Amino acid sequence: MGFDDERGDHSHRQIFPYNSEELIVGGMQKVGLDPKNIKYVLISHAHSDHIGGAEMLQARYGPTSSWRADWDSVASIRTGTDHGAETRHCRHRRHEGDARHYKRDIWLTPGHTPGTLSYTFTVLDRGRPVNVAYSGGTAFNFVNNTPDPGIKNFQIYIDSQQKMAERAAATRATVLLANHSEFDNAVNKNRMLAGRGSGPHPYEIGLIGSSAISR
């Protein structure tokens, strides 16, 4: 299971086709994971800095999943005009709230893009289960400078964040991740890990409800 995040140091290295093997395959191998075990690649949304390497992974290891609302926009990209053009030939699937296939829950949260996907899932911290809420699309990059369709677009975004707040509360999530590290302070949290010792994990912020999602 791989997320198309760019968590790391100040370089904010994004995943494009030219560096996807280094960052995804190489990164997995560094932490002892075998890329051959990849079953699904879940893409949060169809922006070029979040879909790099999708076709490479699919060709080697399996299918790529995305929502039709975003997939059509990727498929329309002309070769050479966008770093995400390589995904034109990838297959897609759609499953919301489907833990059967992915062993985590997937939620359609339009706003950032029409087909933005967010997730709730469980990870282990030193053997202890920790519940995570991951927002697949943050920032108001939709049309918002005119009342029409700005008001409607903002409401779609707000509704999706409220939906994620409900999902986070229902799963008792204590970690909130964003799709860009500047929105969840990931760079500083990663630095704090080096001196954590026996203390709490810096990514845990307590039970997440509507106020945390709103922030």
Side-chain angles (χ1 to χ4, degrees):
M1 176 69 183
F3 288 100
D4 55 341
D5 207 352
E6 52 190 85
R7 207 156 304 285
D9 58 23
H10 277 303
S11 62
H12 299 299
R13 301 185 69 184
Q14 299 178 350
I15 301 176
F16 294 109
Y18 70 86
N19 65 1
S20 57
E21 182 158 4
E22 173 193 357
L23 296 182
I24 302 174
V25 177
M28 291 182 67
Q29 292 171 339
K30 282 183 179 179
V31 297
L33 298 175
D34 188 348
K36 293 180 181 178
N37 294 327
I38 295 175
K39 294 182 179 180
Y40 300 97
V41 178
L42 305 183
I43 297 173
S44 63
H45 62 279
H47 283 163
S48 60
D49 55 332
H50 293 271
I51 58 179
E55 186 178 28
M56 179 270 292
L57 290 174
Q58 184 180 63
R60 294 187 189 183
Y61 310 117
T64 294
S65 173
S66 182
W67 282 85
R68 172 64 72 179
D70 267 5
W71 202 256
D72 288 344
S73 66
V74 175
S76 66
I77 297 173
R78 296 193 305 273
T79 302
T81 62
D82 190 285
H83 291 295
E86 64 162 77
T87 58
R88 289 176 299 119
H89 304 295
C90 292
R91 296 181 298 276
H92 74 279
R93 295 184 179 181
R94 299 184 294 176
H95 300 283
E96 177 170 8
D98 193 344
R100 178 187 62 194
H101 288 277
Y102 301 111
K103 297 183 180 179
R104 69 263 304 128
D105 288 331
I106 307 168
W107 309 103
L108 179 61
T109 52
H112 189 65
T113 65
T116 295
L117 296 176
S118 297
Y119 315 99
T120 50
F121 55 95
T122 302
V123 298
L124 294 178
D125 175 34
R126 298 173 177 174
R128 178 178 60 92
V130 176
N131 295 323
V132 179
Y134 170 84
S135 176
T138 48
F140 307 141
N141 61 324
F142 44 80
V143 177
N144 59 46
N145 59 349
T146 59
D148 184 15
I151 294 175
K152 177 182 178 181
N153 288 341
F154 270 116
Q155 191 59 56
I156 291 172
Y157 187 94
I158 291 169
D159 290 345
S160 290
Q161 299 315 304
Q162 291 176 338
K163 176 179 181 178
M164 275 306 295
E166 294 171 358
R167 293 294 89 214
T171 58
R172 298 186 63 81
T174 58
V175 173
L176 177 62
L177 299 181
N179 66 302
H180 282 270
S181 56
E182 64 265 33
F183 296 122
D184 60 10
N185 198 28
V187 172
N188 289 328
K189 289 176 180 177
N190 285 347
R191 290 172 174 170
M192 293 167 63
L193 280 172
R196 176 190 178 188
S198 60
H201 198 291
Y203 276 88
E204 285 202 80
I205 60 175
L207 290 175
I208 298 171
S210 59
S211 60
I213 297 291
S214 297
R215 290 197 301 271

